[in-house]
Amino acid sequence: MTPHTKIRTLCIALFGASLAACSSVPERNSALDQSRERVVAARSDPHVSALAADELRDAEASVSKAEQAWTAGTRKETVDHLAYLAEQRILIARETAAGRAAQAVTAGAAAERDRMRLAERTAEADNTRRELIASEQRSQVKSSQLAEAESSALRDQAAMEQSRSRVETLEAELTALNAKKTDRGMVVTLGGVLFYSGKADLLSSGSADMIRLADFFKRNPQRSATIEGYTDSVGSEASNLALSGRRANAVMAELVKLGVASDRLSTRAFGEDRPVAGNDTAAGRQMNRRVEIVFGPPPSGMSNNQ
């Protein structure tokens, strides 16, 4: 056995041992197995190992890269693609060896014919190389798209969590204001002693409620509200309607004074309509002398002076 043959036999044995070590992986990949077999066969071919040594080393490196990916638990689709690239490099090595062998025997009258055959084989190898490069580029683009999709999904998830947090915070703030859900939206009722009977001047007893409302609007700049004024039944219907409008405007003016933009607010007057208690007792009339803050966009066609 010549030294060259011994070296080749040792390389084949070492490479075979390396391939055998991969059998410890719990699962197998048919594409990778096929690449292993073909690269071993190529290494055993004396023409390929002698005439296309560099190309064969590239093929072996590609198989090793696929094996490493499979051992690391990389997705099957990625391993299949790496195995495909390895097979293309094996094909390049074989076609290169065949071309160089043809070139070596080109002589005499068959020289022109052999040169044409060599050109064909070289063209095939070039085409394979180009296809390999294009496939690698497509793989890079696909990987980039996948990474972008994963990043987009994470951004969407973060946005959803942020939105959920804002909703929870908003609900907590509305709960602190004793807001109630109605068919008109979330409603905060300003009751108690806000106004003297027949008057529209805000009393100091309601200042704490005004400050809490103003703070809520500042923390939620996208929220708007309609301020609705109501009265008890004492006095005429027309005077009560006008009085309820002045009371709603008084609350709006106080909120604007506390820093709420006026274009986020509108007012409506209901007078003695929609009582929440009977007007036959002092307590009931006091409950009816109220202002309600209805959160949401102003009704269509409703102005701030209404």
Side-chain angles (χ1 to χ4, degrees):
M1 182 180 295
T2 65
H4 179 73
T5 303
K6 289 181 180 180
I7 293 174
R8 184 170 67 253
T9 302
L10 179 59
C11 289
I12 294 172
L14 291 175
F15 192 71
S18 173
L19 296 178
C22 296
S23 63
S24 61
V25 178
E27 298 179 3
R28 301 187 66 83
N29 182 290
S30 58
L32 180 57
D33 290 343
Q34 181 174 294
S35 297
R36 291 193 194 103
E37 293 171 0
R38 290 185 177 178
V39 79
V40 170
R43 173 57 70 183
S44 301
D45 188 331
H47 292 291
V48 177
S49 59
L51 299 177
D54 292 339
E55 289 78 1
L56 184 57
R57 279 194 296 271
D58 290 343
E60 290 170 344
S62 292
V63 173
S64 296
K65 184 177 180 180
E67 289 173 340
Q68 292 170 5
W70 179 247
T71 303
T74 304
R75 293 184 313 165
K76 181 178 182 301
E77 293 79 0
T78 301
V79 176
D80 287 346
H81 183 68
L82 292 174
Y84 165 77
L85 297 181
E87 290 209 11
Q88 296 304 301
R89 292 196 180 278
I90 295 169
L91 180 59
I92 289 173
R94 286 191 173 278
E95 290 180 349
T96 300
R100 289 171 181 169
Q103 187 177 21
V105 298
T106 299
E112 185 62 25
R113 181 193 62 195
D114 291 340
R115 280 195 296 270
M116 292 177 61
R117 185 176 301 169
L118 173 61
E120 292 175 357
R121 291 184 177 275
T122 302
E124 290 176 358
D126 290 341
N127 287 335
T128 302
R129 287 192 184 93
R130 285 192 291 270
E131 291 176 0
L132 175 60
I133 293 172
S135 179
E136 290 174 337
Q137 291 174 342
R138 287 193 296 270
S139 177
Q140 292 174 355
V141 170
K142 185 176 181 180
S143 298
S144 176
Q145 292 173 341
L146 179 60
E148 177 60 27
E150 292 175 348
S151 177
S152 178
L154 290 175
R155 289 195 298 270
D156 291 343
Q157 182 179 357
M160 289 177 61
E161 292 176 354
Q162 186 177 11
S163 177
R164 188 182 301 113
S165 176
R166 285 197 298 267
V167 170
E168 292 174 352
T169 301
L170 178 62
E171 290 178 349
E173 291 176 347
L174 289 173
T175 299
L177 292 170
N178 294 320
K180 294 181 180 179
K181 184 178 291 186
T182 71
D183 56 358
R184 294 178 294 152
M186 297 300 292
V187 177
V188 173
T189 300
L190 300 178
V193 184
L194 281 180
F195 307 96
Y196 285 129
S197 179
K199 302 294 184 181
D201 298 324
L202 276 171
L203 299 176
S204 60
S205 58
S207 60
D209 290 334
M210 292 295 100
I211 292 173
R212 282 196 294 269
L213 273 172
D215 288 343
F216 174 80
F217 278 109
K218 292 174 183 176
R219 289 192 298 270
N220 299 275
Q222 302 304 317
R223 304 291 294 187
S224 59
T226 300
I227 304 170
E228 299 178 349
Y230 298 88
T231 69
D232 56 30
S233 62
V234 176
S236 68
E237 184 176 341
S239 63
N240 285 335
L241 184 63
L243 177 60
S244 66
R246 292 197 300 275
R247 287 176 174 174
N249 287 331
V251 171
M252 177 177 170
E254 184 64 20
L255 289 174
V256 171
K257 180 180 177 181
L258 291 171
V260 181
S262 61
D263 59 1
R264 298 170 60 191
L265 304 171
S266 64
T267 61
R268 293 189 71 180
F270 288 94
E272 58 191 68
D273 290 347
R274 303 181 185 177
V276 294
N279 283 300
D280 52 350
T281 65
R285 289 191 295 273
Q286 179 176 320
M287 292 178 65
N288 290 330
R289 294 193 298 272
R290 70 192 190 281
V291 172
E292 292 183 349
I293 313 297
V294 183
F295 289 99
S300 177
M302 195 66 62
S303 70
N304 286 345
N305 296 322
Q306 218 166 347

